[in-house]
Amino acid sequence: MEYQRIRTAAYMPDPAQGSFAHPLYTLALPTEWEEQILKLHHFGLSEREAAWRRRVPTRNINQLMRATAPDVVTVDSTATFGAQQPWLYCANEYPMSVMNSFIATWLRHLQRKPDDPESTALLMETFRSMDTASLQWQMSMVDLLAQQSLSPGGTASPAQHVYRLLPDVLAGRITHLEPYEHNGERLEFHQVAGIGGTRGPGSGGAELMSWPPREHAPKAKSDGSGKRSYYSAVIRISVRTVPFSSMPRVHLSAGIRRFVTGKVWMPYQKGASVYLRPDASLVPDGPEPQRFSVAMIQWKHGTTDWRQGGAEGMLAGVTALDGLPSVDRLVKEADHWIGGRDGIALAVGHQTTMGPHTIGTGLMPSERRRLIEWAEQALAPELVPVPQLERSGYAHPPKKQLKKLPSIPKKEIPQAKLAAIIDHRERASSDNASLRRKALAEALEGADFVGLILHQTDDQRDRLVAAAEENLGLAGQREEHRPDSWVWESEELTVRLHARPLGTLGAPLGGDRIPRRGKEHEEAIGERRRAVAKTLKELRDSMPGVQVAFVELEGDRSFLREKRRTDPKHAIRLGSADAGLVTQFIRPLDTEMEAEKAEEDAVLRAAAAWSDGLRQTGMRFVPQHTLGELIPPGLNQVAFHLVERRHDGPTGKAQFTPIAVLIRPGAKCIMGKTAEMHQWVPYPELLKSLTGRVREAELKTSAQQSALMAAFIKKTLAGLRSAPTLVLSHAQDIRKRWPWLRNDGLEQDRLGLDCGPAQRIGLYGRHLRVIRIADSSRDETSQWWAEAEELRPEQMGKRRAGIAKGLWVPRAPGETGRVFYSTADKSSTQTKLTNDDAKLTGHVNAQGKSAFRPTTNAWNPELLEVAVACLQPGDNAEAWAAFVHQQRFCDDYRDVLGLPLVLHLARLADQYALPHEDEEAVDPETSQTAVSSPEEPTGQMTFDFESSEIDEE
C-alpha cells in the first residue's frame, strides 16, 4: 500500500475573507528629491554610465537598517519616490531623528569622490535642498493581497510590496503564538530583520529563529576536549505564484541554522552573517528592537571588518559601533556572546564553506510537519492550506532495463535457500554487466574503452580496477595484467586501463605558499594546466585512444577557507581537456573514519566514480516510458542550459555559454552543442569544449545575452522541426535569459522568444512540446510530507509524517490541468535515518526509544514542479508530465535524479565551465567528432561572448 495524497506547506487566500488590509506606518520620499539624489549619484560618471544607473540604489541603507533598525521594512533595492510608492514600512513610527541620520549617512556614501571639492559642494547642496524635517510617517491600511492585473497566461501578479509585507506581517503573528512545544520542551521564536535588496517575484520573505539556541555537548573525550555546538530552528515565509493560477501562494519552510563555535573561518570572497539581540538600540534615540538584527562581517585585504552598509563607514556614521564587539575578538571566539555579554547576545551563522559542523543539516518529515503545523495557526483566517495533492493515475515507474539484484539476508537462513539467492544474484549481475558493455560499446561506436587512473595510493587504484570488473562483469575475461595496466576482452568490447602515480600534478597550487588572488592565482593555474596537458599528451602516445582520466585527489575539505586557491582540481581538469580527456575525481580513503566503515565507503565511492566516468563518455540507460501511444514514437528530448561562471569562480574568470543537450532515439550516445557549434557532437566533446580560453566579451548586457539565447534556441529548434521534440528547461537556471519561462511569462501553447509577444506553438512546427521544471530553490516550490495516519490509523493525532515518491495532481480551485508535481523516495544514503528522527526537541519513536539525533544530516525529497506549457492538439497533459517524471528514474543511478535525465546531463556540464586564458595551453591535435543531423540547417552563426554579470546558509 502506498500514499495516495501528500500535504504541502502552501497556503492560499480564502475568497470568503475578502481583502487582507493591515495598518502600517509608511514613509515616502518626496518626488522632488529624486532629481537631486540622482545628480549626486551620477556625479563623476559619463553619460553612458549614468544611463545605466537610472534608479537610486538603496542597498547600503537597507543593510544599515537591517543591522541597526530591524523593525523597519523596505520593499525595494532602489529608492521609490512619491506618496503613492512608500519607501519604508513599520508597525510603529520610527523616530525621525534617527531616520534623518540614516538618510544623511546614505547620501554621504552615494558620493563617489569624497576628496573632490566639487563633489563635496554638491553633497552639501543636496543636504540643504532636501527638507528632511518635513518627512513624516503616515498611517495607512495596506492591502497585503493586492494584485496587479493577471499575466497574459492567467498567472497571479501580486503587487511588489506584497512579497515583503505579507510574510512580514504573518511572521509577526507567529511570534505571538504560544511557544512551540513537543515532548515537554519548548522553543520560542523571534522575528529576524527582513532581507532587502531584491524586487518582484521570488524576492523578499520573512524569517523567524528560535532563541536561545539549542546547545549540543559532545561525549567527553579522554583528554577532556570537545567543544559545544549551537543551533536554532528557522521558519521562513515567502509569497510565490504558480503558473496559470490566479491565486498567489504563501509557503512556509522549516530548517535549522548552525552557529560558529570558536574561530570564524571566513568564506572566500563572501561575508558571514551575525545575528544580534542587543538589550537596547545600537543607535542613539532608537527604540529597543523587537527583532534580531543582522550584520555582516567580511574578510577583505587581509583583515576582517563589519561590512554592513558599505563596511565600517556607515555603521560609524550612525555611531552604532560602540554597541558592537570588536571584530578581531569576535572572529576568534564567536560563541563568547551567545549567552549574552556586554549588553548584547549574538551568534555567527555557519556556512558549509567554513568546514564541517557537529550538527547535521535539515529536518526529517515528522519534525518538519509538527513545526509547520504549529506555525500555520497564525495564517488563519485569511489564508487556508492548499488542498492535498493526489496521486496521478499515470505515476508508474519506467520499464526496467537492468535487473534488480536480490539482497542477501543478514539473518541465518537454510543453506539451500541462501545458495539459490546467491545464484540468482550472480545471474542477474552478469546480465546487467552484459547490457552495460553493449551500451558502452554503442557510445564508443566500436572503439575500445581506454581509461587512465592517476592515483595517489595503490589501494584506491586497486578499488577502481575492482569496480571496473564488477560493473562490466570482466572478472573472468582478463587478458593482460601488468603492475600498471589491465586488458579485458569481451564479446561486446575491449576495456583497457592504465595506471600512473599522480605525483606532483596533484600537489597544492603555489607550493609552500598560497597564491594571491588575481594574477598570481591565474599563473599558478596556467602552470599546472600546462604540466598536466604535457604529461597526458606524452602518456597518450603510449596508450592510444585514452578517453577518461580517473584522478585520485583530496576533496574540498582539504582546500577549505584560505587554502581554496591551492586546490589543483580545476587546473587538472583544464589540462586533461587540453589533452583530449574528460575527468572523474575520487577522494582517497577517509582516514578519519573507523577502518571498516572507511573501507566500505571507499569501495562505494570507487564504484560511483567508475559509473560516473562511463557516463561522461555519453553512455546512458535512458528511461523507457510506459505511456504507450500517449507519447509519440521517436521523441527527441532537448534541454537548454546556461553554463555560467562569475568572476569569483574557481579560475577567477567569467563565462556565459548557452548549451543544448539532446537525447535522440536510436542515437548511440548523448549529444550536445553550444551556440558556436554548427552540428551536434558527442557529449564528452561538448564537455571538453566548455573548458579553456575566455573569448573577448561583447555580450556584457542581459539584453545581448538574451538575444544570443533566443537565436540559439531558434536555430536548434529549426534543426529538429521535422521530428517529435520535447524541450525541457529548468526555470531557476535559464529564465533570466529566457524571460518567457517566468511564471508571469508562460502562456499555454504559446512560445515566447526575443522578449517579444508569445506565438502559437504551431508556428514552430506540429511536433514541438515545451515543459518547464522548477525546483525548491528559494522556496519556489513548497516543502511537503505524507501524513502517516493515511497508512497507519494508529498514528492519528501523533503528527507523524512519511515520504512518498510519485507524480501528483493539484486539486486547488482554478487549476488548469497543466501543472503537476514530481517527488522521489528516500535517499539510499539515509539507511540509518528514520522519518521520526528529531533535532529540535526530544522525541520517542514507535518503539519507545529516543529518536533525538542532532548530529545526523536529514534530507527530504524536494517538490519538483512540472509545468506543461506547450502541447499539440489532442495531447494529454498529465501523460506528458508522467513522461517527464519517469525520466528521473535511470537504471544506472542508485537514486532518483533531482531533474529529468536530459536536464541532469545539461547541469553536469557546469563542472567543465572553467574559463581560463592560457596562450601556451597544449593543442591535443585530437579530432573533434561531429555528428551531423539530417535536419540541421546549413546557415552558420558565430558568437564571441562573456558574462558581465550569496546565499547565506
Side-chain angles (χ1 to χ4, degrees), residues 269-286:
Q269 287 193 341
K270 293 185 179 181
S273 295
V274 183
Y275 299 88
L276 311 165
R277 278 188 64 81
D279 294 342
S281 173
L282 293 174
V283 293
D285 301 325

Side-chain angles (χ1 to χ4, degrees), residues 459-460 463-464 467 552 586-590 593-609:
D459 287 348
Q460 204 65 309
R463 292 186 191 98
L464 279 169
E552 181 185 3
I586 181 173
R587 289 185 286 109
L589 183 77
D590 191 338
M593 297 176 65
E594 296 178 9
E596 185 176 343
K597 291 182 178 179
E599 178 62 27
E600 180 181 354
D601 173 71
V603 169
L604 288 174
R605 285 191 289 104

Side-chain angles (χ1 to χ4, degrees), residues 66 190-194 207-209 257 275 291-294:
R66 193 179 184 216
H190 304 268
Q191 201 165 346
V192 178
E207 184 177 277
L208 301 108
M209 187 168 70
R257 172 166 289 126
Y275 299 88
R291 309 178 182 189
F292 273 96
S293 298
V294 184

